[in-house]
Each structure stands twice: as C-alpha cells, then as structure tokens.
Amino acid sequence: MSVEATKELDDFFRSLRQAYNSQDLKLYRAHFWTDKRFVHLDPSGRIDLGWGAYEELLDQEFRYMDKVTLELRELQFRPMNEFGSVTGFWKIIQTDTEGRAVEQAGRVSYTVSRMKDDWKVVHQHYSVDPIEE
C-alpha cells in the first residue's frame, strides 16, 4: 500500500467531510463521479442510481436543515493503483431550523477511482449500526 496514496485519500476524505459540513453542494459534488452509473446506498435502504438522484436528496437536505455534521472515523484505505476501497464508521447529525437534531451512525464503505489527478467516489454504501439489546 502506497503511503502517498493513503495520504491523498486521507486528505480527500477530510475535504469531503468539510464540504458536507459547510453544506457546500458544489464543493461536495467535486468529490464524486457525477455519472449516471454512480450508486448511493443509504441507511434506510434507498438506492440512488445516478449522481442526479443523489444530488436531489442532498439539495433538499442542505436546503432544509439548519446544520448538518458528518463525522468519519477509523477509515481504512486500500488503494490499488487507480482504484481503492475505504471502510470505516460514520455519524451524521442533522439539525432542523427549530433546533431539533436527528442522529444516525453506522458503517460506511466507499469505492474510489483516480480520475486524471483526483480521486472520485464512484460508489458509497452507508448502513446503520444494529441496535444492541
């Protein structure tokens, strides 16, 4: 595993998180492959096929939430030449304009591809932690 590629991916995901937390859709979009073959699987089981479907969801979220916070932790990077996989844990806190907060957390996996000089997320899957009894 290349130390350089691992550092690039660490920086990339830090930037992705910061773009999400600042609710900057244009900057967040820059981290993704905006092709119709992009796939986003969310914790509710919804599948967004194509970047446009996922972008519509994000636009609504950013527009109607007062604040959103994405945390990514314990990310493990596995670069393989021009592709890579990333796994770890996520937590999102969404706060509406009346101050009500909803929190979700779980596991995440990303598939990334190097396109020109940049990495892009080409597939992502978020799952919710099972409730412990």
Side-chain angles (χ1 to χ4, degrees), residues 1 6 9-10 12-13 70-80 83-91 106-112 121 123-127 129:
M1 175 165 47
T6 299
L9 286 169
D10 186 47
F12 174 84
F13 279 96
L70 170 65
E71 297 175 14
L72 298 173
R73 62 184 174 79
E74 297 180 41
L75 294 181
Q76 295 183 11
F77 306 109
R78 293 174 185 84
M80 299 164 272
F83 294 94
S85 68
V86 179
T87 56
F89 296 91
W90 65 277
K91 180 165 77 170
R107 293 191 173 267
V108 64
S109 65
Y110 299 96
T111 304
V112 294
V121 174
H123 180 274
Q124 64 183 1
H125 183 194
Y126 289 82
S127 62
D129 277 339

Side-chain angles (χ1 to χ4, degrees), residues 8-25:
E8 287 175 3
L9 286 169
D10 186 47
D11 291 345
F12 174 84
F13 279 96
R14 182 178 306 106
S15 174
L16 178 143
R17 184 183 47 77
Q18 290 170 343
Y20 184 91
N21 291 344
S22 66
Q23 295 174 270
D24 185 336
L25 187 55

Side-chain angles (χ1 to χ4, degrees), residues 29-61:
R29 179 190 308 122
H31 293 84
F32 291 84
W33 183 46
T34 56
D35 189 272
K36 64 182 180 179
R37 293 170 286 176
F38 172 81
V39 177
H40 166 78
L41 303 169
D42 82 2
S44 71
R46 189 185 71 248
I47 300 172
D48 296 310
L49 299 175
W51 172 259
Y54 181 53
E55 186 172 29
E56 285 181 31
L57 168 78
L58 288 171
D59 185 47
Q60 294 295 316
E61 185 175 297

